[in-house]
Amino acid sequence: MNLNTLLAVRRSQQPHKQALTFQDTGRSWTYAQLQEEALAMGQHLTRHGVTQYDRVVIWAENSGAYIVALMALWQLGAIVVPVNPRYRQREMEFILADCTPQALLFEECNRHRLRDMGLGPLLERVTTLSLDQAPLVHDESPPTPVVGSDDTALIMYTSGTTGRSKGAMISHNNLVATVTSLVAAWGWQAGDGLLLTLPLFHVHGLEVGLLCALTAGASVNLHRTFKAQTVLQQLQDPRTTLFFAVPTMYFRLIRFMEETAAPDLSHIRLFCSGSAPLAAEDHKRFQRLTGHVILERYGMTETGMNYSNPLAGTRMPSTVGLPLPGVSGRIVDDQDQELPWGQEGHLQVRGSNVISAYWNAPEQTARAFVQDDLGHRWFRTGDMGRFDPDTGYLTLLGRSHECILSGGFNVYPREVEEVLLQCPDIEEAAVVGHPHPEWGETPLAFVVAPDSCDPEAVTTFCRQHLASFKVPTAIHVVPALPRNAMGKLQKHLLPCS
């Protein structure tokens, strides 16, 4: 089954139901209207030379036109390349040179940015089309290409938190696997209303949010960007039943609610967090303010969604729960040998949700996978983890390259960060390894805190809660931590890392 076939099921059952509202303009679309505009957009793209298997970059903020373009391109059998609209010349040069697109779709308000970006010869061979100038009604039914389940639907470039990003080739089958597993695991219903403020250029907003909602026949309230005060107002709408966010968004919501009266959110059935670890302290603060326990899950650009705390069952802070339907995971040592539950090691996953390759990068693809004795192909996630021996819940310990080896002992930054976040006044924390002549490496901490924060007091607090080799050798108070568009820490940008 390809994604187009999956999305057509609910559209055929409820064509006149509201599918989408774009909050910034107030405009709404039924399922039938979305399809009508997708067919018109498809004809518009075809007239400009876009055909099956072409790669088309979308460089835009959230909008209704963005979603129409997605549907149109997939129905043409084209490959969507979503790009962060905040990218500048250097980042755009890399992506355009790497994926060599047939077309680039942009918002009219950003035409000047595109013109001034100085991309030169790269744009001369790319058709540039404004999302805002496509027709709304098609004049005839175009022939529908045959789209295979293994055909590539998306090329999504990884976050690049450690260096140059890679283009993950996500097939229709990968998308269908992730979407159907989440619809089942989280009990999606046609009566659900999703408040969506996550960007559509990212897996979290596109796959976990938009595609699950359209598959389930739910309604999406789409916002261009996240604004804490606006979101809190929208959450009080009884039609809103679902909200997904990254930890940075929850942190801002919590701080806003603590400064005002906590609202009644009893009508919402699921709050979910992902894309980065959610601090255990924020779990507790949010539950105290709202009565809701946030469901934390785990996924990647290359794999879609892998693990989730249960909808009906215990949600354990600092864990990402159990494998989703169709996903298998294992913890291995440095030689790719599986370890027993309870031991710490490298996390590997496999399933229909996992990509087969990176775009134009055979060597990186080969390094990303390993085959076991039974012929199963496992994806190296790059994350360290541990399965609880009693529950099987997965705890993520941080990225493999972030593990600090101090005097022969492993120090996992996340464990130290969780302790730092329990210190009074510390809002955010990041721990990295720093070279040391005697111990090899020692932990170094960067914290966002008021100027009154006393590093010596923080160190004393850490000594009370951590083994001596895990205590940061220095505490640096900074105004902010470097993050990408999805709120992920970019530790390689910290000084002295």
Side-chain angles (χ1 to χ4, degrees):
M1 174 183 285
N2 64 43
L3 184 62
N4 301 323
T5 306
L6 180 67
L7 295 179
V9 174
R10 282 296 189 180
R11 185 171 68 237
S12 66
Q13 293 176 333
Q14 48 186 43
H16 304 300
K17 185 192 173 187
Q18 182 171 303
L20 172 69
T21 297
F22 185 42
Q23 186 65 33
D24 294 64
T25 62
R27 190 179 169 209
S28 297
W29 291 258
T30 65
Y31 276 83
Q33 288 169 336
L34 271 183
Q35 175 63 1
E36 180 77 10
E37 292 192 19
L39 291 173
M41 172 66 89
Q43 287 187 335
H44 178 63
L45 293 168
T46 300
R47 286 193 291 269
H48 285 85
V50 176
T51 61
Q52 189 170 14
Y53 308 123
D54 281 343
R55 294 167 296 284
V56 178
V57 168
I58 304 182
W59 184 63
E61 300 275 8
N62 289 358
S63 69
Y66 195 126
I67 293 174
V68 168
L70 288 171
M71 296 174 61
L73 288 165
W74 284 327
Q75 289 172 17
L76 290 177
I79 300 168
V80 179
V81 186
V83 174
N84 186 339
R86 291 173 178 80
Y87 278 179
R88 297 299 187 261
Q89 179 177 341
R90 179 175 174 273
E91 296 141 323
M92 288 294 288
E93 282 180 339
F94 168 72
I95 290 175
L96 292 176
D98 191 57
C99 75
T100 59
Q102 168 67 28
L104 185 152
L105 306 182
F106 63 95
E107 292 176 292
E108 189 61 32
C109 63
N110 282 329
R111 183 182 290 275
H112 68 285
R113 287 186 58 208
L114 192 62
R115 183 186 61 245
D116 297 341
M117 201 171 279
L119 298 175
L122 285 172
L123 280 180
E124 290 178 6
R125 57 174 170 75
V126 178
T127 301
T128 55
L129 298 172
S130 171
L131 279 171
D132 308 291
Q133 295 177 348
L136 301 181
V137 180
H138 69 287
D139 49 24
E140 60 183 20
S141 296
T144 303
V146 177
V147 179
S149 60
D150 290 327
D151 286 352
T152 302
L154 288 166
I155 295 178
M156 276 194 160
Y157 282 84
T158 57
S159 300
T161 54
T162 59
R164 187 56 63 91
S165 60
K166 303 181 289 290
M169 299 173 64
I170 303 171
S171 71
H172 283 261
N173 195 42
N174 296 150
L175 291 175
V176 169
T178 283
V179 169
T180 54
S181 68
L182 288 179
V183 168
W186 293 351
W188 281 82
Q189 305 161 17
D192 276 326
L194 171 66
L195 176 57
L196 183 57
T197 64
L198 294 160
L200 295 173
F201 60 77
H202 192 272
V203 165
H204 197 168
L206 179 54
E207 294 185 36
V208 181
L210 176 68
L211 293 183
C212 281
L214 296 181
T215 296
S219 298
V220 179
N221 181 359
L222 180 69
H223 288 231
R224 189 173 177 85
T225 57
F226 172 86
K227 296 178 182 177
Q229 183 174 1
T230 302
V231 166
L232 200 56
Q233 291 171 347
Q234 293 290 308
L235 286 173
Q236 296 174 69
D237 187 328
R239 294 171 295 183
T240 301
T241 63
L242 304 169
F243 179 68
F244 306 154
V246 298
T248 302
M249 294 176 178
Y250 279 113
F251 175 81
R252 293 172 183 170
L253 277 177
I254 290 167
R255 186 164 58 180
F256 190 82
M257 284 190 289
E258 288 177 336
E259 295 172 353
T260 59
D264 178 11
L265 303 178
S266 57
H267 58 281
I268 296 180
R269 70 173 189 86
L270 179 61
F271 285 95
C272 180
S273 178
S275 298
L278 180 67
E281 185 62 27
D282 287 342
H283 266 285
K284 297 173 186 175
R285 292 165 68 197
F286 192 83
Q287 184 176 7
R288 184 175 67 251
L289 289 165
T290 68
H292 285 279
V293 179
I294 296 172
L295 183 151
E296 193 167 9
R297 56 81 183 157
Y298 163 66
M300 300 179 66
T301 302
E302 295 94 332
T303 66
M305 294 304 107
N306 302 308
Y307 280 76
S308 172
N309 271 268
L311 179 70
T314 303
R315 301 177 193 172
M316 298 177 62
S318 299
T319 80
V320 291
L322 301 167
L324 287 162
V327 178
S328 297
R330 65 177 188 171
I331 299 294
V332 302
D333 60 20
D334 292 340
Q335 287 73 46
D336 293 314
Q337 297 302 304
E338 188 166 0
L339 297 171
W341 282 10
Q343 293 193 26
E344 300 169 350
H346 305 275
L347 175 65
Q348 297 177 353
V349 297
R350 66 184 180 90
S352 298
N353 54 308
V354 181
I355 66 167
S356 297
Y358 291 110
W359 171 259
N360 201 27
E363 293 182 0
Q364 291 173 316
T365 298
R367 288 196 295 268
F369 291 90
V370 62
Q371 190 165 296
D372 65 17
D373 295 338
L374 297 177
H376 297 138
R377 191 170 181 247
W378 294 86
F379 178 75
R380 293 183 167 115
T381 65
D383 288 311
M384 303 294 290
R386 177 184 63 244
F387 291 124
D388 185 280
D390 297 320
T391 65
Y393 280 43
L394 172 64
T395 295
L396 297 176
L397 304 171
R399 299 292 289 168
S400 300
H401 65 270
E402 292 177 359
C403 182
I404 302 165
L405 190 60
S406 184
F409 293 101
N410 287 340
V411 179
Y412 295 104
R414 185 178 180 187
E415 180 185 5
V416 184
E417 291 161 1
E418 290 280 3
V419 170
L420 288 167
L421 290 172
Q422 295 175 28
C423 293
D425 295 329
I426 290 183
E427 297 181 356
E428 297 181 272
V431 173
V432 296
H434 186 62
H436 191 279
E438 181 178 359
W439 304 109
E441 283 184 301
T442 57
L444 185 67
F446 294 83
V447 301
V448 177
D451 294 338
S452 58
C453 177
D454 181 4
E456 291 187 9
V458 175
T459 300
T460 300
F461 182 88
C462 289
R463 288 198 182 106
Q464 295 171 350
H465 296 87
L466 292 168
S468 59
F469 64 90
K470 298 179 182 179
V471 175
T473 52
I475 308 290
H476 296 287
V477 179
V478 295
L481 298 176
R483 296 181 180 275
N484 66 13
M486 288 303 295
K488 290 184 180 180
L489 279 173
Q490 295 186 294
K491 291 187 177 182
H492 64 291
L493 297 180
L494 289 167
C496 303
S497 62

